[in-house]
Amino acid sequence: MQSRCLVIAGGEIKDYSWHRGFISPQDFIICADGGANHAFKMGLTPNLVVGDLDSIDPLVERELRAAGCSFLVYPREKDQTDLQLALAEAVKRFPRKVIVLGGLGARLDHTLANIALLLPMAERGIDIKLVDQTQEIGVLYGPAQVKVEGEVGDLVSLLPLSKTVTGVTLVGFYYPLFQTTLVAGDTLGISNQITADQAQVNLQSGALLVIKTKPGT
C-alpha cells in the first residue's frame, strides 16, 4: 500500500520551486505524458510515465529512461486521456491520498475533464485533490466528515456534483450551514470563507466539489 501517489499532468505549472517543495521523498510519482517535462524541470525522476508520449520532450524521455524511470506507452488513438490512465495506475498502488499537479490550465475542456476524474476516485474512498499555487480542488462523497486544511481567510466554494447533496454542515466558516441540502444548479455554496483554525465540512449523502482558493487570486 502506498501512502501517497503524486501524479503530474501536462497542464499549467508556473512556479516549479513551489511545486517541487510540495513533493515528499516518500511519494510514488506518476507522470501523465507531458507531465514528465514538468518533473524533469523540477529535477525529479518519476517512478512511472504513462501515456501516448505525444507531449513529452524526446530529450526528457531519453534522460528519464537512462535514469531508470519506467514507461507505460499507449497508442495515440485511445479512449482515455493520459491523466485518466495515470490515475488508473495510481489506484493499483492502493494509495490513501493522491495529489495531482499540473491538472489545471487554459484548456477549459481538459480542466473540466480532470475535475470529473476526481469523482470515481472519491467513490473508491481515495482522498484526491488537484493542486496549484492558488487552488485546491477535491471531492467529498457522503457520508463524510472532513477537516478543511487551510488558513483563516481562504475562500471555499461547494458545488454539488450529484443532483442533491444532503446534510451539509459547515463549522468554522463565515456562512455556517446546518443539515442543509445543496442542489445542483444553485449557488448557495459559492464563496464562503474559513474563519477558524479548525474548519470542517460534513455531509450525509451525495458528491460535493470543494474548491479552496487563496484570497486575492
Side-chain angles (χ1 to χ4, degrees), residues 3-69:
S3 177
R4 191 171 88 158
C5 281
L6 192 129
V7 179
I8 305 177
E12 189 174 72
I13 291 182
K14 294 181 178 180
D15 187 335
Y16 284 113
S17 63
W18 184 90
H19 286 79
R20 181 66 180 85
F22 195 85
I23 298 167
S24 167
Q26 290 76 37
D27 290 335
F28 188 91
I29 301 175
I30 303 174
C31 289
D33 199 348
N37 300 328
H38 292 318
F40 187 75
K41 291 177 180 178
M42 286 186 273
L44 298 171
T45 300
N47 299 93
L48 177 65
V49 175
V50 180
D52 54 22
L53 307 189
D54 66 341
S55 300
I56 187 173
D57 185 306
L59 173 62
V60 170
E61 181 181 351
R62 287 197 299 271
E63 292 288 338
L64 293 182
R65 286 186 183 275
C69 175

Side-chain angles (χ1 to χ4, degrees), residues 136-138 148 154-160 170 173 182 187-194 201 208-213:
E136 185 177 287
I137 302 172
V148 179
D154 285 351
L155 302 176
V156 177
S157 290
L158 307 175
L159 293 170
L170 304 181
F173 288 88
L182 299 181
T187 57
L188 176 62
I190 294 293
S191 292
N192 212 327
Q193 191 172 38
I194 296 176
V201 178
L208 189 64
L209 187 68
V210 181
I211 304 173
K212 186 183 71 177
T213 308

